[in-house]
Every structure is written in structure tokens, then in C-alpha cells.
Amino acid sequence: MADRETRPTTVWSRPERGARGPAPERSRPQIAAAALALADAEGLAAVSMRALAQRLGTGPASLYRYVGSRDELLDLMADAVAGELDLSGATGGDWLDDLVGLALQSRDAHVRHPWLADLNDRRGEVLGPHAIDYLDHALGILAPAPGTAGQKLEAIGLLGGLAVLFARREAAATPAGAPSTGDPAGRAAHLAAVAAEGRHPHLLAALTAAGAPPPADRDALFVRLLRRLLPAMLGQGEP
């Protein structure tokens, strides 16, 4: 029972190297970087201990000196992506501007690594050191904002969820290596024509009141939603 209670619960709970034995040839960050490159090139399903060992020019058994399982490797990968975010900016300015900037970084990270959302869906809440730094930084940004601690944590969760949603929409609209085939004007015209048939009066009224849609700009829509939703979640209303 005592062994079970003291067993490390994450890869970061265990020292990167033992007190005895030869010095390690690689580090966990190096292994995570190689795994990221493999996932970016071939998808998350391609990431296995054997495939990673081949990429690193070593045997699979040697990797288990650094990570105990593929699940631990996935944890390292997710945290390595969190480490790509720039948290060096000082907090204390306009909290909404700062948080929107952080959200844009998060969305861009998911665009660079389209497999990340699926990884996080499967692995659950496993926060590594970089992810904890991100959470603390976001809470620091929100320190002058209204709202309770619980509301602020929920707002940060919303920020992450919208980042994933917009990254997935961008990936679906423009697959890697393919030109964009979307036709926003054509889709808008089709919707207007359907509404004008008279069988959808609420849609027709909304489209009439809204007028012509603005040019498609995912960045602008992403920022606009955040600037509306985040203050509302914190009890401030629209800015």
C-alpha cells in the first residue's frame, strides 16, 4: 500500500534520470521535440515508441529509460506545445487585450499541430510544467478583472475551447497542402435564397436585420467572440 501511495503519478513526478547509472544520452525535451516532428509529419497515430526510436536512431527499449509508456510520451508532447507559447509579456495592462492575445497564440499552436486537440481529448487533464505556467500566467492576466476565481478558471477553459474550435475549422476549410476551396459569398447567397422562400421567417428577419455579412476573417471573428464572451462570463457585460 505504501508503494502505491508514493508511486509517481505523472512523468514529471519522476526524476529525469536516476541517481545511479550512466549519464543519459538524451533529454525528455529532445524526445518530445522528435515526437512532435513525427506527429506533425505523419499524424498522432504514427507516434509509437518504435517509430520514435527509429527516428532517433536508437532502440525502443532505450526510450523507456526516459518515459515509462506511450501515454507518458503523449503527456510530454502536449506540454512541449504549451511551452511554445510566449508568456514573457508583462501582465497588468488591459486584461482583455492580454487574454485575447494569449488565446490567439493558443489557436495558432493548435493550427501548427492539428493532432493536439485529439491528443488532449484522449489524455484528459494532465498538466505538465509548461501548462501550469500557462494557467498561472492567464490567472495573472485576469487578476484585475472582475469575477470569482471559479469564473476566471471557466473563462480560461472557454478560451482554450474556442481556440480548438477555430483551429479545427481552419484545418477543415484548408487541408494541409491543398488550396482553399471555400466560397463564403456563395454560401451566403444560398442561405439568403433559402430564407427568401418564406418557410423560415425567423432566419429571414435575422438576415434582413443583419444586412450584408462582413468579409470572411477568422481572426476577426475569433477576437470578436472572445471580447464579447469573456467579460460576460466574468459578470462585466460587453466591453
Side-chain angles (χ1 to χ4, degrees):
M1 180 65 71
D3 289 344
R4 181 176 299 177
E5 291 175 351
T6 58
R7 185 179 300 165
T9 57
T10 72
V11 63
W12 301 282
S13 303
R14 188 175 62 252
E16 187 163 353
R17 59 165 297 186
R20 298 180 180 179
E25 299 175 356
R26 295 178 177 86
S27 66
R28 286 175 182 164
Q30 290 173 334
I31 291 172
L36 257 64
L38 179 59
D40 289 344
E42 303 182 33
L44 188 62
V47 178
S48 66
M49 300 296 275
R50 181 176 299 277
L52 181 59
Q54 291 177 347
R55 192 177 189 93
L56 291 169
T58 187
S62 68
L63 291 183
Y64 287 99
R65 296 172 54 197
Y66 307 93
V67 291
S69 65
R70 182 177 185 268
D71 285 343
E72 286 192 355
L73 176 62
L74 297 180
D75 291 344
L76 289 175
M77 292 169 63
D79 197 60
V81 176
E84 294 177 1
L85 305 187
D86 182 7
L87 308 180
S88 62
T91 60
D94 185 303
W95 67 265
L96 186 53
D97 286 345
D98 291 344
L99 202 61
V100 167
L102 192 62
L104 287 167
Q105 283 199 66
S106 179
R107 187 213 53 188
D108 290 346
H110 281 85
V111 170
R112 288 194 303 274
H113 309 292
W115 46 265
L116 179 61
D118 291 336
L119 185 156
N120 286 333
D121 286 346
R122 292 165 48 184
R123 62 194 281 275
E125 296 293 331
V126 182
L127 296 182
H130 288 118
I132 292 173
D133 288 344
Y134 164 85
L135 180 58
D136 186 74
H137 183 75
L139 287 169
I141 288 174
L142 285 171
T148 66
Q151 288 173 326
K152 292 177 180 181
L153 288 171
E154 289 174 352
I156 295 169
L158 173 69
L159 180 156
L162 281 177
V164 171
L165 174 63
F166 272 72
R168 280 177 162 163
R169 288 184 62 184
E170 184 165 336
T174 310
S180 176
T181 58
D183 181 10
R187 290 194 296 268
H190 169 71
L191 187 60
V194 170
E197 293 174 356
R199 294 184 295 109
H200 306 88
H202 302 294
L203 177 59
L204 177 60
L207 292 176
T208 301
D217 186 335
R218 291 191 182 91
D219 280 359
L221 177 59
F222 183 62
V223 170
R224 188 162 64 248
L225 286 176
L226 286 170
R227 295 188 69 86
R228 289 177 179 173
L229 292 172
L230 291 171
M233 289 189 68
L234 297 173
Q236 188 179 7
E238 286 191 17

